[in-house]
Amino acid sequence: MSTTASPELDPLDVAWIGMLASDREAETWKLFLETARLIRDHLDSQLTREQAIGISEFEILAHLHNASERRLRMSELSRLTVAPKSRLTYRIDQLVARGWVVREECETDRRGLFAVLTEDGAKQLIAAAPGHVTTMRKVFYDQIQDEELAVFTRILTRINDAVRG
Amino acid sequence: MSTTASPELDPLDVAWIGMLASDREAETWKLFLETARLIRDHLDSQLTREQAIGISEFEILAHLHNASERRLRMSELSRLTVAPKSRLTYRIDQLVARGWVVREECETDRRGLFAVLTEDGAKQLIAAAPGHVTTMRKVFYDQIQDEELAVFTRILTRINDAVRG
DNA sequence: CAAGATTGAACAGTCAATCTTC
DNA sequence: GAAGATTGACTGTTCAATCTTG
């Protein structure tokens, strides 16, 4: 420690600064992570407060609603929501308990199960959607200008592809 | 249900489509959430696998390292990491158990506590940083072109501000 | 043996209640 | 009473182990 000239710059600091610190790179990265967490928490709070449904549950109902015959295999839901299968099992259990989803067996592959949206589930989704969309627009979509949208989407798509390898 | 002309378009579908579906708005929103989750999971896996440290722990060590005297109040750490105080207490407990952080009392305000980075903690951070930064660059920063960076940062900053109200 | 899905145990996160100091 | 921080109970997540069918 005492062999360096400047007392504030020990070897650890130098290594760290060379790696990451203080420039746009680290700032951009931090901003991205922070914003993603903030906005998801914000939307989750809004849904929980106004509709007593979490954003994860909402997303599952939305995926089912968009699917053909309002049903999806567990594996497919797992892919779509970027979640491990065990989490899906847990969440579907809750949605079944709430009466918003039912499980049905797959005729052609007896290993498989479908999660199927019920009428009540669809009603719940429709009830929650307007508030969710309004809030999302306010804090997300309305913050992106028309000329910026293509750039934003392009960057996100590239990152997505890079992560997936 | 039987009073509408088209059998595939019941009232629920109409309401849903009017709200959200099928256009760039929903796509952009989904892409953002999905990408954010994917990339954080990816970086967390890399750190856990190669350095036996989670990304949340890494972030805390990094904040402490950047701070003056390598110490921060719990409240301040809570703000910086956008995490509830109770989570910080929990994580700092773990970091203390690992010998990477110590708690110190605040002289001027006896309610307050500092989390202080130890030498071992700094070494761990420096050991983990290169792999983390390399991975981050590969999947994140290198995917953003120079001309795009300003737009990207601007959008994220606006969203951040909008969420914070 | 591989794939679809669930289970149980261990780990992590959240919220309200609490304790201490301002 | 309000702010800094911790605790405890509850909810949510993960991972390996398991069960069943292909």
Side-chain angles (χ1 to χ4, degrees):
Chain A
M1 294 289 181
S2 56
T3 56
T4 52
S6 157
E8 304 82 23
L9 279 181
D10 68 17
L12 294 182
D13 277 335
V14 172
W16 176 248
I17 288 167
M19 255 340 129
L20 248 203
S22 78
D23 61 353
R24 293 182 310 176
E25 183 170 6
E27 288 305 311
T28 308
W29 173 234
K30 272 168 48 189
L31 180 62
F32 180 74
L33 289 183
E34 181 183 317
T35 305
R37 168 169 300 180
L38 265 179
I39 198 168
R40 200 170 203 279
D41 287 355
H42 184 70
L43 273 285
D44 189 48
S45 299
Q46 178 269 322
L47 278 173
T48 304
R49 196 180 338 105
E50 298 174 17
Q51 299 290 335
I53 180 174
I55 191 170
S56 304
E57 295 178 306
F58 182 88
E59 286 169 345
I60 291 174
L61 297 188
H63 279 298
L64 292 177
H65 190 271
N66 287 338
S68 156
E69 300 182 55
R70 290 182 180 170
R71 73 181 54 214
L72 285 170
R73 292 283 294 271
M74 295 299 285
S75 304
E76 182 65 4
L77 256 183
S78 173
R79 274 204 324 101
L80 288 171
T81 58
V82 196
K85 277 175 292 178
S86 56
R87 179 154 81 207
L88 255 296
T89 299
Y90 175 74
R91 291 227 165 268
I92 295 295
D93 280 348
Q94 295 180 312
L95 294 172
V96 168
R98 298 244 228 169
W100 296 342
V101 168
V102 291
R103 281 187 172 88
E104 286 183 17
E105 293 183 2
C106 177
E107 300 290 311
T108 59
D109 183 344
R110 280 180 206 163
R111 294 171 304 181
L113 287 176
F114 284 103
V116 187
L117 190 64
T118 63
E119 281 302 308
D120 277 359
K123 282 180 191 156
Q124 175 64 36
L125 180 66
I126 300 306
H132 178 66
V133 172
T134 300
T135 309
M136 182 274 275
R137 271 197 195 126
K138 193 167 139 196
V139 296
F140 180 75
Y141 200 69
D142 289 352
Q143 306 302 323
I144 308 170
Q145 287 162 15
D146 291 348
E147 327 84 67
E148 298 174 335
L149 185 62
V151 175
F152 193 59
T153 309
R154 203 190 312 141
I155 294 171
L156 291 176
T157 304
R158 260 191 243 119
I159 293 172
N160 214 296
D161 292 347
V163 174
R164 302 194 122 103
Chain B
M1 294 294 179
S2 56
T3 58
T4 53
S6 158
E8 304 82 21
L9 278 181
D10 67 17
L12 295 181
D13 277 336
V14 172
W16 176 247
I17 288 168
M19 253 347 126
L20 248 200
S22 78
D23 62 355
R24 293 184 309 177
E25 182 170 6
E27 287 306 309
T28 307
W29 172 235
K30 273 169 47 190
L31 180 62
F32 180 73
L33 289 183
E34 181 184 317
T35 305
R37 166 169 301 180
L38 266 178
I39 198 168
R40 199 170 204 280
D41 286 355
H42 185 69
L43 274 285
D44 188 49
S45 298
Q46 179 269 322
L47 277 173
T48 304
R49 196 181 337 107
E50 297 173 17
Q51 300 290 336
I53 181 176
I55 191 170
S56 303
E57 295 178 307
F58 181 88
E59 286 169 346
I60 290 173
L61 297 188
H63 280 298
L64 292 177
H65 191 271
N66 287 338
S68 156
E69 299 182 54
R70 290 181 179 169
R71 74 182 53 213
L72 285 169
R73 292 284 294 270
M74 295 299 286
S75 304
E76 182 65 4
L77 255 184
S78 172
R79 275 203 325 100
L80 288 171
T81 57
V82 195
K85 277 176 290 179
S86 56
R87 179 153 84 211
L88 256 295
T89 299
Y90 173 72
R91 291 232 165 264
I92 295 295
D93 280 348
Q94 295 178 312
L95 294 172
V96 167
R98 298 244 227 168
W100 295 342
V101 168
V102 291
R103 282 189 172 86
E104 285 182 17
E105 293 182 2
C106 178
E107 299 290 312
T108 58
D109 182 346
R110 281 181 205 161
R111 294 171 303 179
L113 287 175
F114 284 103
V116 187
L117 191 64
T118 64
E119 281 302 308
D120 277 0
K123 281 180 190 155
Q124 176 63 36
L125 180 67
I126 300 306
H132 178 67
V133 173
T134 300
T135 308
M136 182 273 276
R137 271 195 195 127
K138 192 166 140 197
V139 296
F140 180 76
Y141 200 72
D142 288 352
Q143 306 302 324
I144 308 170
Q145 288 165 13
D146 291 347
E147 327 84 68
E148 298 172 334
L149 185 62
V151 174
F152 194 60
T153 308
R154 202 189 314 141
I155 295 171
L156 291 176
T157 304
R158 259 191 243 121
I159 294 171
N160 215 295
D161 293 346
V163 174
R164 302 193 122 104

